[in-house]
Amino acid sequence: MKKTAIVFFLAIPLLLLAMILCSPDRALSEAENRPLRTKADIRWNVMDGGFQDWLEDYLSDQFPFRDALKRAEVRCAIAAGKRDIGGAYIGEGMRLFQKITPADVNQASCLRYARRIRRLASETGLPTVMIYVPSAGVALREELPKGAPMYDYDALWDSLRQELTADGFPGITLIDIRKRMAANADHYYQSDHHWTASGTETVYQAWCQTHEWQPRDIEWVSASDTFHGTLYSKVPDSRVPYDTIRLPVLDPAPQVVADGQDIPFYDLAALTVKDQYNVFQGGNHGITVITNPALPEQDGLTLLMLKDSFANSLVPLLVPHYRQIVLLDERYAFVDAAQIAQTYHADEIAVVREIISTP
Amino acid sequence: MVFSSAVFLLIFLPVVLLAYYIVPERARNPVLLGASLLFYAWGEPVYILIMLFSTVFDYGNGLLLEYLDAVGKAKWRKGVLALSVTVNIGLLCFFKYTDFLIGTVDSLTGAGLSLLHIALPVGISFYTFQTLSYTIDVYRRQVKAQRRLLDFGMYICMFPQLIAGPIVRYRDIETQLHARTLSADSICDGLFRFVQGLGKKVLLANSLGIVWDEIAALDGHQTAMTSLIGAAAYMLQIYFDFSGYSDMAIGIGKMLGFDFLENFRYPYESHSVTEFWRRWHISLGTWFREYLYIPLGGNRRGFPRQVVNLLIVWGLTGLWHGAGWNFLLWGLYFFALLVLEKRFLSKCLPLIPSFVSRLYTLAAVLVSWVIFASDDLSHALGYLASLLGRNGFADDAAWFYLCEHWLILAVGAFFSVSYAKSKYAKYLGKIANERVRLGVRMTVAAVLYAVSLLTVINSAYNPFLYFRF
């Protein structure tokens, strides 16, 4: 019997190993939003640890029933009373929030970025608006588990405002959307950190108010009611409610060139895969140029927007007001924003980003 | 390579054990040496040369010491020992303390010196102490020099205890290097011990580490209750991490036919700091006592001299744990407590109720871990101040942390004392049928092993918020 025990403990790992090596590799984990290590990307360099890292990653990435194992672990953790799982807080009704603690926010780099924007505004002389997106956990503080640590958005906002408007600098308008976003929990998805249709519409109204425009009536069409976003990837539990993605109808459809390639304005194929939020311009790109054929080339305005993914769902509502919108995601394109403003003859600059994604 | 990795659990350990059991007995040492070198080279493909140098160097020193005896030139022996100690400690100091020294000189003089950024070879603190114990024991004529380089290499490089102890003295293992028995009993015992250690490391230590990391990052702005949760988590983490590693080493040793000495005996049950150090990292304490404290004179030359000896030993014990002022301070903190206990408290501690002395010990050790875990002095002081209530007793965040982590803390506390183990042993003892008893042990081990392995795999699950193809 002891021998059986020994054989059992030696054989089980080797059997698992055989299973991993013999079964076909999975190239992509939809649940995690990332490519997996496969036999194809084996690295042979032993001296710098490349092969060692590859093998360790390969074994865990190709382990049988990996996603189910993760789901089981998450279920156990929730049953044990945990409300912070892998960087996502679980609120009432299994609503998920991205956990961003004070330690996650680098105030110095936020202020550095603000100074850069101020320089950009003063160099180009263009009117500039800024929206520092309040994270869902900040706007909907009451919905978080009681006491769950989040960064202090208000304090950060105050110091950023001071930096941007010091010495009475008139070039930058900060749009304060805190109260509007806190007014309704439906402004954020429940399984993703982004704005919902109602959230983007609320931001759009604030935008129009700042610009003294009359907001347009928007026709919404439901694109998906089975959306489980990136926070769901952290907490893959079937009790997390599905979200609905709604898209504003735009006719005629805008033309989009992302990093030099024509792409559809709404990437409907994204609705059939895991990260459905990519329906908006097919996700993030370095430079995206959106042209609105409904406005004549001569008298339409051009907007240069420095953005993160929050802007992706706001852009469709702004399209009718501009001839051209140039989106610059500085995490993916390392270019001089002033240069881009000049190249595209921008009339206005906007910054729309969550503080946490400040480059 | 670390034990709690997929490569070790799924490939290295089963393959090495299988090979070790299949080959004829005389081939076992070469198999073990080869496996150990591969194990080390996996993580340190370059620095393995340093370990090999130390091995060959002290192998030569051992032989030389005996040769000098044989040819009647015993007075040269001291020189050989001095050379061995200088070279071994010199290597250790170069890799471990150079940057620390440069940084210190720089901050004192403002000379603008730049650090060398020398990477620390894994396990150098452990294997250096092992080779030193060998040379010193041969010098003292307590053991014979090992003539077979292969056996000596295996002693230094043996993978179970190579990178995190226990520090095995040559004399404790000398006979086992060439004559050891393998039985199904000892293999099974080793297996269960290994799984126990794996569970401690993967299920407890790693989860507790996350709690500490998060609370330590609050930088002293937290309330007393949050600080206590963080410090308690670290206290349990370091115990399960270290003793878990020792369990795994002892377990694998048993599976290979070796008997390593125990390294931890439920230190958090101690009634004094003196007792704590008799139960915590026993092999290190033994090493310092045998090879430093006693040669310095120990307690045989009066109390003042004993205090100086303790100061040297504990200053160095602190620095052995890491090159930083916090480690030195940590060692000196224990020096102060131990002197205090020897002089005064040893008389009153036995008189007070057991739970009070245990509480005193736990509190003293808890404070020590805060010093140990803080990168710099100001962090440690800030943390201790918040522990004493500088920012109030409790807030909503403290209750959140408590609700979030009470289970892991409770489970950790439960397994950090001997209660569970003795109950389990009693329960097993009541089962008359040996097959049933083995079945129970196997089931417990299999569940623990499976959950640990899956946790290792799950830790690589890593969702990306921002992603591009």
Side-chain angles (χ1 to χ4, degrees):
Chain A
M1 176 127 177
K2 281 193 172 139
K3 289 204 172 127
T4 318
I6 296 162
V7 169
F8 175 81
F9 274 98
L10 290 182
I12 292 292
L14 292 174
L15 272 175
L16 283 167
L17 180 67
M19 271 175 85
I20 294 170
L21 292 176
C22 298
S23 54
D25 287 345
R26 275 174 70 200
L28 187 79
S29 163
E30 280 213 330
E32 289 159 272
N33 237 356
R34 69 174 177 95
L36 297 174
R37 282 266 176 277
T38 59
K39 290 188 199 90
D41 36 59
I42 187 166
R43 294 171 56 194
W44 289 110
N45 37 341
V46 174
M47 294 312 279
D48 72 352
F51 174 75
Q52 291 91 317
D53 291 344
W54 171 82
L55 185 59
E56 183 67 29
D57 292 347
Y58 176 78
L59 290 177
S60 346
D61 279 6
Q62 301 298 337
F63 200 83
F65 311 114
R66 189 161 176 277
D67 294 350
L69 291 173
K70 186 66 198 176
R71 284 198 297 273
E73 189 191 27
V74 164
R75 221 162 228 269
C76 292
I78 295 173
K82 280 189 85 72
R83 291 295 172 266
D84 167 9
I85 294 185
Y89 288 132
I90 304 174
E92 276 304 304
M94 294 295 282
R95 172 186 272 277
L96 304 180
F97 296 91
Q98 191 183 356
K99 170 187 177 183
I100 310 172
T101 66
D104 296 327
V105 179
N106 183 340
Q107 182 161 1
S109 79
C110 289
L111 290 175
R112 231 180 1 256
Y113 185 71
R115 281 194 289 277
R116 227 176 80 204
I117 296 302
R118 194 180 147 139
R119 219 167 30 245
L120 176 67
S122 83
E123 266 175 33
T124 56
L126 295 174
T128 301
V129 295
M130 265 188 106
I131 297 179
Y132 271 121
V133 177
S135 314
V138 168
L140 310 174
R141 178 82 236 187
E142 299 299 309
E143 306 262 330
L144 283 180
K146 195 169 159 40
M150 273 303 275
Y151 69 100
D152 188 346
Y153 177 88
D154 290 337
L156 209 51
W157 163 274
D158 286 342
S159 52
L160 288 169
R161 194 193 49 192
Q162 243 167 27
E163 194 69 43
L164 290 165
T165 58
D167 312 322
F169 182 69
I172 297 175
T173 311
L174 274 159
I175 306 181
D176 187 352
I177 56 169
R178 280 177 283 190
K179 281 210 180 87
R180 291 173 196 253
M181 298 319 287
N184 190 343
D186 292 340
H187 289 344
Y188 292 88
Y189 292 117
Q190 300 181 77
S191 67
D192 194 83
H193 55 297
H194 293 112
W195 293 319
T196 59
S198 78
T200 46
E201 192 163 358
T202 307
V203 179
Y204 168 65
Q205 281 158 1
W207 184 286
C208 289
Q209 199 178 1
T210 306
H211 287 75
E212 296 175 347
W213 295 341
Q214 183 61 33
R216 300 164 64 101
D217 288 334
I218 297 155
E219 185 191 339
W220 292 97
V221 55
S222 178
S224 164
D225 48 15
T226 57
F227 173 42
H228 265 160
T230 47
L231 292 171
Y232 172 80
S233 297
K234 290 172 184 279
V235 187
D237 186 298
S238 56
R239 290 166 294 180
V240 174
Y242 281 112
D243 283 304
T244 299
I245 294 182
R246 290 190 296 150
L247 306 174
V249 177
L250 289 173
D251 192 28
Q255 294 144 7
V256 187
V257 180
D259 293 334
Q261 286 198 319
D262 289 332
I263 59 163
F265 187 64
Y266 291 130
D267 181 7
L268 297 177
L271 297 172
T272 60
V273 294
K274 170 72 186 40
D275 197 358
Q276 299 181 9
Y277 188 76
N278 283 343
V279 70
F280 298 104
Q281 300 115 49
N284 295 318
H285 311 279
I287 297 177
T288 313
V289 182
I290 299 163
T291 311
N292 174 13
L295 283 182
E297 201 173 336
Q298 308 81 351
D299 41 75
L301 296 172
T302 293
L303 170 70
L304 167 65
M305 185 186 279
L306 313 184
K307 48 73 82 175
D308 66 10
S309 54
F310 273 89
N312 298 8
S313 57
L314 174 66
V315 164
L317 302 182
L318 301 179
V319 161
H321 296 276
Y322 295 92
R323 165 68 193 172
Q324 199 171 48
I325 299 179
V326 180
L327 302 176
L328 171 57
D329 195 326
E330 293 158 292
R331 295 167 302 174
Y332 300 121
F334 305 101
V335 290
D336 177 17
Q339 189 68 48
I340 299 287
Q342 204 176 24
T343 309
Y344 289 94
H345 307 292
D347 302 292
E348 184 185 351
I349 294 174
V351 181
V352 178
R353 64 174 349 125
E354 204 181 11
I355 289 175
I356 189 75
S357 79
T358 303
Chain B
M1 200 183 299
V2 291
F3 292 162
S4 52
S5 66
V7 172
F8 182 82
L9 295 171
L10 293 180
I11 304 178
F12 187 87
L13 187 62
V15 169
V16 168
L17 287 176
L18 214 58
Y20 186 80
Y21 296 147
I22 289 172
V23 298
E25 208 173 320
R26 64 173 192 286
R28 280 185 183 156
N29 281 3
V31 165
L32 191 50
L33 179 63
S36 298
L37 294 177
L38 177 66
F39 177 88
Y40 193 82
W42 190 260
E44 298 280 15
V46 180
Y47 277 171
I48 191 169
L49 294 173
I50 297 164
M51 184 176 72
L52 292 177
F53 167 77
S54 285
T55 307
V56 175
F57 179 66
D58 280 307
Y59 168 75
N61 285 331
L63 291 180
L64 190 56
L65 284 167
E66 269 195 2
Y67 170 77
L68 290 172
D69 252 348
V71 297
K73 289 189 175 167
K75 61 179 178 182
W76 290 94
R77 296 175 86 247
K78 209 167 234 169
V80 175
L81 178 70
L83 180 72
S84 166
V85 172
T86 312
V87 169
N88 280 300
I89 298 286
L91 274 176
L92 179 63
C93 286
F94 174 74
F95 283 103
K96 199 162 176 174
Y97 304 108
T98 306
D99 274 344
F100 173 57
L101 268 178
I102 293 175
T104 307
V105 170
D106 188 46
S107 65
L108 288 177
T109 60
L113 304 171
S114 48
L115 300 182
L116 300 179
H117 297 291
I118 301 167
L120 185 67
V122 171
I124 189 169
S125 311
F126 289 95
Y127 70 70
T128 300
F129 272 34
Q130 289 208 167
T131 58
L132 278 177
S133 83
Y134 168 75
T135 328
I136 298 172
D137 283 356
V138 174
Y139 172 79
R140 290 171 171 173
R141 301 187 182 95
Q142 286 171 335
V143 293
K144 283 207 156 62
Q146 174 58 256
R147 295 188 180 275
R148 289 167 55 93
L149 179 59
L150 191 137
D151 286 2
F152 184 69
M154 198 181 72
Y155 157 65
I156 300 298
C157 312
M158 209 184 331
F159 77 89
Q161 45 34 288
L162 178 57
I163 58 177
I167 299 165
V168 179
R169 284 178 308 176
Y170 180 75
R171 72 173 95 144
D172 292 331
I173 198 179
E174 186 187 1
T175 50
Q176 296 175 36
L177 288 176
H178 49 87
R180 52 187 182 270
T181 46
L182 259 183
S183 67
D185 272 340
S186 69
I187 297 175
C188 260
D189 286 347
L191 192 69
F192 296 150
R193 186 68 186 268
F194 170 77
V195 172
Q196 177 190 323
L198 183 68
K200 277 183 177 179
K201 164 74 184 145
V202 173
L203 304 178
L204 296 173
N206 289 359
S207 310
L208 288 158
I210 295 170
V211 181
W212 162 255
D213 286 346
E214 186 173 346
I215 293 178
L218 300 175
D219 240 359
H221 296 304
Q222 68 279 15
T223 57
M225 192 163 115
T226 304
S227 302
L228 186 62
I229 292 169
Y234 187 76
M235 187 168 177
L236 292 169
Q237 180 206 353
I238 194 161
Y239 169 68
F240 287 119
D241 202 287
F242 211 166
S243 78
Y245 211 96
S246 288
D247 284 341
M248 289 189 269
I250 292 168
I252 298 172
K254 268 190 199 304
M255 285 193 260
L256 299 170
F258 290 95
D259 273 315
F260 299 145
L261 296 176
E262 288 299 328
N263 209 18
F264 289 84
R265 287 186 209 275
Y266 297 102
Y268 293 151
E269 283 186 347
S270 307
H271 292 84
S272 67
V273 173
T274 311
E275 187 189 349
F276 172 80
W277 273 105
R278 282 203 287 264
R279 290 161 168 261
W280 177 277
H281 202 176
I282 299 165
S283 64
L284 181 72
T286 310
W287 196 96
F288 270 109
R289 198 182 60 241
E290 289 264 322
Y291 299 111
L292 189 63
Y293 181 65
I294 293 177
L296 284 172
N299 59 2
R300 300 184 309 267
R301 299 191 192 168
F303 189 67
R305 181 58 200 255
Q306 188 189 2
V307 171
V308 173
N309 292 343
L310 284 170
L311 180 68
I312 295 170
V313 167
W314 284 97
L316 291 176
T317 301
L319 284 176
W320 181 87
H321 283 83
W325 289 108
N326 60 317
F327 294 111
L328 182 63
L329 184 69
W330 177 79
L332 297 178
Y333 169 82
F334 275 119
F335 155 74
L337 281 174
L338 290 167
V339 169
L340 207 66
E341 284 192 0
K342 279 192 199 316
R343 197 64 175 173
F344 308 105
L345 298 180
S346 57
K347 292 180 189 77
C348 29
L349 279 172
L351 304 176
I352 57 177
S354 167
F355 81 93
V356 179
S357 55
R358 281 175 74 165
L359 217 58
Y360 145 76
T361 311
L362 285 177
V365 171
L366 184 95
V367 169
S368 88
W369 291 136
V370 172
I371 301 169
F372 188 90
S374 299
D375 292 335
D376 55 63
L377 214 53
S378 68
H379 183 272
L381 291 175
Y383 199 96
L384 290 172
S386 66
L387 194 58
L388 291 172
R390 180 179 68 179
N391 306 313
F393 175 70
D395 57 0
D396 283 349
W399 291 108
F400 173 77
Y401 286 125
L402 188 65
C403 293
E404 203 56 22
H405 305 307
W406 70 271
L407 189 62
I408 188 85
L409 289 168
V411 172
F414 183 69
F415 285 109
S416 73
V417 291
S418 57
Y419 179 81
K421 186 152 192 184
S422 64
K423 280 277 162 198
Y424 181 57
K426 224 178 240 174
Y427 166 73
L428 287 177
K430 276 189 201 152
I431 303 173
N433 185 327
E434 202 190 328
R435 287 174 76 90
V436 177
R437 191 161 61 227
L438 185 66
V440 171
R441 290 177 75 194
M442 227 183 107
T443 311
V444 171
V447 169
L448 197 55
Y449 177 76
V451 176
S452 302
L453 175 65
L454 299 181
T455 306
V456 169
I457 300 297
N458 272 347
S459 66
Y461 183 94
N462 187 15
F464 267 51
L465 232 57
Y466 302 106
F467 175 70
R468 275 192 105 191
F469 289 92

